[in-house]
Amino acid sequence: MGEAPLSKIIVMTSGKGGVGKTTSSAAFATGLALRGFKTVVIDFDVGLRNLDLVMGCERRVVFDFINVINGEAKLSQALIKDKRIDNLYILPTSQTRDKDALTPAGVERVLNDLSKEFDYILCDSPAGIERGALMSLYFADHAIIVTNPEVSSVRDSDRILGVLASRSRRAEQGLEPVTQQLLLTRYDPERVERGEMLKVDDVLEILAIPLLGVIPESQAVLRASNVGMPVILDEASNAGQAYTDAVGRFLGDEIEHRFVSPQKKGLFSRLLRRSA
Amino acid sequence: MSIFSFFRSAPRPSAVQAKERLQIVMAHERAGRTGPDYLPMLQQELLAVIAKYIDIDQNKVEVKLDRGGDCSTLELNIELPAREQLKSAMAAVKKPDLKPSASADQDDEDDKLAANGPLTNGGVKKRH
């Protein structure tokens, strides 16, 4: 494990729904824990809880984030320890209440308590720019903007960048701004080559933030969520490797971007037309 | 593939169009985002004043702030009602010196707006 991290509170956000925030949160939190950092991942999507399913701990949820905010349970009762990885904890949200249950003072108190114990706190934002999303990014030191190479996702990401610049705690208190990195997900190099999909460079040019990683479109993502396993643990898959690289870059490793151009197919696979 | 399609220029890839469309729409949105906070309030108060004298449609008003190097322009576009309506409205408030340039045809308003639309264009320039 390295030195104490500068950015403790990370938000995984996007504006648009369905781009891979929860998949990325699960993978990223797992990756940080695998690197030896004590990590907690919090679901901010009150009423539409799903991080528990993606992490495979849905049957172990007794108390949740909202219970802790309301003082109905202790933090230690609501935190779920991951069964596979040491140092990894999940704080699920409530499935029955609505997003108004997230009070700024309550969220702040829970984040303060967590930051005494954890190296990294990863906030999984809901879609949209309403209370749940605003609360998930308000206290953030660092934002990972999850974007698909597609017009509506890019536009919504830009909108979220605007919200981070004006409505985060750091913006309101005139502190150093929230640092930002782009995680481009569901990237299909072959469609990019055919001119059917925005290139990495196009998205970078438009959003003008540093690139954390490119996650290729991969069947492994669905397979992993089917069984409740963060896809980063599927070490054989492109997506899993891409997330491992992204975590490494986040921690300061210099790793070249992979999976951004079509894989060269050998003569045999061309003849057989087989894909992985 | 026919021999003619060989000479025809290739269609523009859809990804190129995606990028161009995004750049245009986001340039607009970013400009609005950096606008001052008082703009919506200013717009409302200006409208309230004008509405005192002229019966205007609140949806046919556009307030724009353009920032140049040393000069910002506040542009206010208000579509006035058709001449007949305006006459009665003006008779009520006794302001006969306002002249809308044309009577509004509500059907093809977009084209009219661009050409010689029934707009008053109030420009306020401010140096800073």
Side-chain angles (χ1 to χ4, degrees), chain A residues 147-150 154 182-189 191-193 197-216 249 257-261, chain B residues 15 19:
Chain A
T147 307
N148 290 168
E150 176 268 325
V154 175
L182 175 72
L183 191 64
L184 194 59
T185 54
R186 307 200 66 168
Y187 195 72
D188 186 336
R191 298 198 75 180
V192 170
E193 197 168 75
M197 185 179 267
L198 289 165
K199 289 196 278 266
V200 187
D201 292 341
D202 292 340
V203 181
L204 286 175
E205 187 187 327
I206 293 168
L207 293 178
I209 56 173
L211 181 63
L212 177 63
V214 177
I215 312 297
R249 281 186 211 107
H257 290 281
R258 297 191 271 174
F259 318 114
V260 289
S261 46
Chain B
K19 185 182 179 187

Side-chain angles (χ1 to χ4, degrees), chain A residues 56-199:
Chain A
C57 64
E58 69 277 7
R59 294 174 65 182
R60 297 166 62 206
V61 178
V62 182
F63 294 109
D64 59 54
F65 189 22
I66 306 301
N67 290 138
V68 178
I69 287 176
N70 291 341
E72 296 152 1
K74 284 188 214 152
L75 192 50
S76 56
Q77 293 174 297
L79 283 172
I80 301 174
K81 188 180 185 316
D82 189 85
K83 282 196 165 158
R84 296 156 294 220
I85 316 289
D86 280 344
N87 291 329
L88 180 59
Y89 291 78
I90 300 109
L91 183 54
T93 193
S94 169
Q95 180 69 318
T96 51
R97 294 191 226 190
D98 66 31
K99 54 190 181 300
D100 294 338
L102 287 174
T103 60
V107 173
E108 183 171 24
R109 184 170 49 80
V110 174
L111 291 179
N112 278 341
D113 289 348
L114 286 171
S115 63
K116 287 173 202 148
E117 220 183 306
F118 287 90
D119 297 316
Y120 286 110
I121 301 165
L122 189 65
C123 303
D124 181 23
S125 171
I129 48 172
E130 289 182 54
R131 184 187 281 249
L134 291 178
M135 278 298 105
S136 71
L137 66 79
Y138 187 76
F139 298 99
D141 302 308
H142 184 77
I144 299 174
I145 313 295
V146 185
T147 307
N148 290 168
E150 176 268 325
V151 287
S152 53
S153 176
V154 175
R155 183 197 210 174
D156 290 358
S157 293
D158 192 62
R159 182 86 176 85
I160 279 290
L161 290 172
V163 172
L164 280 163
S166 62
R167 298 176 72 180
S168 60
R169 181 185 64 99
R170 284 175 170 270
E172 284 185 1
Q173 298 181 359
L175 306 169
E176 283 285 297
V178 180
T179 49
Q180 299 152 346
Q181 284 175 308
L182 175 72
L183 191 64
L184 194 59
T185 54
R186 307 200 66 168
Y187 195 72
D188 186 336
E190 281 164 14
R191 298 198 75 180
V192 170
E193 197 168 75
R194 290 201 298 267
E196 293 175 4
M197 185 179 267
L198 289 165
K199 289 196 278 266

Side-chain angles (χ1 to χ4, degrees), chain A residues 222-233:
Chain A
L222 180 59
R223 278 203 305 268
S225 75
N226 284 343
V227 298
M229 175 186 87
V231 70
I232 198 169
L233 295 176

Side-chain angles (χ1 to χ4, degrees), chain B residues 23-42:
Chain B
Q23 282 173 323
I24 292 166
V25 71
M26 282 167 49
H28 273 274
E29 286 172 355
R30 283 173 181 159
R33 194 188 296 157
T34 54
D37 294 345
Y38 60 75
L39 214 55
M41 187 77 91
L42 174 69

